[in-house]
Amino acid sequence: ATLIEGQSVQLTATVRDSAGTEITDRPLEWLNSDPTRATVSNTGRVTAISAGNVNIIATSEGRSAQSSIVIQQIPVDTILVPTSFTVNRGANSAFEIVVRDAAGNRLLGRNIVVTSDFPNIAIGQPNAQSTLVTVSGIALGSARLTLQAVDATGRSQGKASTIQITVQNPPTGAVRASSVPPSP
């Protein structure tokens, strides 16, 4: 089975004798190869916790069978970014992003890849929690950053957003004027 985090599936196991006849009065135990990925009840109900693979094993009187479950992250529906952002040349500055699922719930720890149409002007790097993107201003000008949600294998989840970045000169220090008295 393939589940998305939070989903459940009911597994069933059938105990049979050596002739293939179903036996209904035998004890059945459910085991889980990775409790950090999923839980399994004593009736075989599996609930996905976190992305990855897990094996659920049904055992009875020394015999066992297993079911492999693939658990996927809740899909990204939107990546919210500001419409534009300004950074000084030679500096780094960060803006906040919000990643949401189809129900509007905020998702953390998603793989976000940032690409720049002009990497010689500005580049971006998301943090591990996918809440901030740090922009480096390299040269004066404008660049568009594209933020793309990808799965653990690097494949696109089909959701992306763009932001216009302007790289400007850093502010100058205070200007002091001095007067020189005229010569006689």
Side-chain angles (χ1 to χ4, degrees):
T2 299
L3 298 174
I4 293 175
E5 294 168 331
Q7 288 183 332
S8 295
V9 65
Q10 179 64 51
L11 299 181
T12 57
T14 304
V15 179
R16 298 186 186 276
D17 65 17
S18 60
T21 305
E22 184 176 342
I23 306 170
T24 59
D25 64 345
R26 301 300 161 98
L28 191 62
E29 183 181 8
W30 294 92
L31 305 172
N32 180 347
S33 68
D34 189 348
T36 65
R37 302 276 180 221
T39 61
V40 61
S41 72
N42 58 2
T43 62
R45 184 154 193 81
V46 178
T47 302
I49 297 172
S50 65
N53 298 321
V54 65
N55 292 318
I56 305 299
I57 302 119
T59 65
S60 181
E61 298 179 353
R63 298 286 192 187
S64 65
Q66 80 176 13
S67 179
S68 295
I69 309 287
V70 176
I71 302 168
Q72 299 174 340
Q73 285 185 322
I74 297 169
V76 171
D77 188 65
T78 56
I79 303 170
L80 303 172
V81 299
T83 54
S84 63
F85 189 74
T86 301
V87 63
N88 291 332
R89 181 177 45 87
N92 294 326
S93 189
F95 62 86
E96 183 178 12
I97 65 172
V98 178
V99 180
R100 296 197 184 275
D101 65 13
N105 300 310
R106 189 168 187 163
L107 302 172
L108 298 175
R110 295 314 169 108
N111 295 325
I112 304 294
V113 174
V114 181
T115 56
S116 175
D117 64 346
F118 290 105
N120 57 328
I121 294 175
I123 57 172
Q125 179 64 44
N127 70 352
Q129 287 298 308
S130 67
T131 57
L132 294 174
V133 171
T134 301
V135 178
S136 299
I138 299 168
L140 296 177
S142 292
R144 175 168 284 144
L145 298 184
T146 300
L147 288 74
Q148 178 87 33
V150 297
D151 66 14
T153 65
R155 288 184 301 216
S156 170
Q157 290 187 335
K159 302 298 177 179
S161 291
T162 60
I163 180 172
Q164 189 67 34
I165 304 295
T166 301
V167 179
Q168 66 184 11
N169 274 321
T172 57
V175 177
R176 292 189 174 165
S178 63
S179 62
V180 177
S183 302

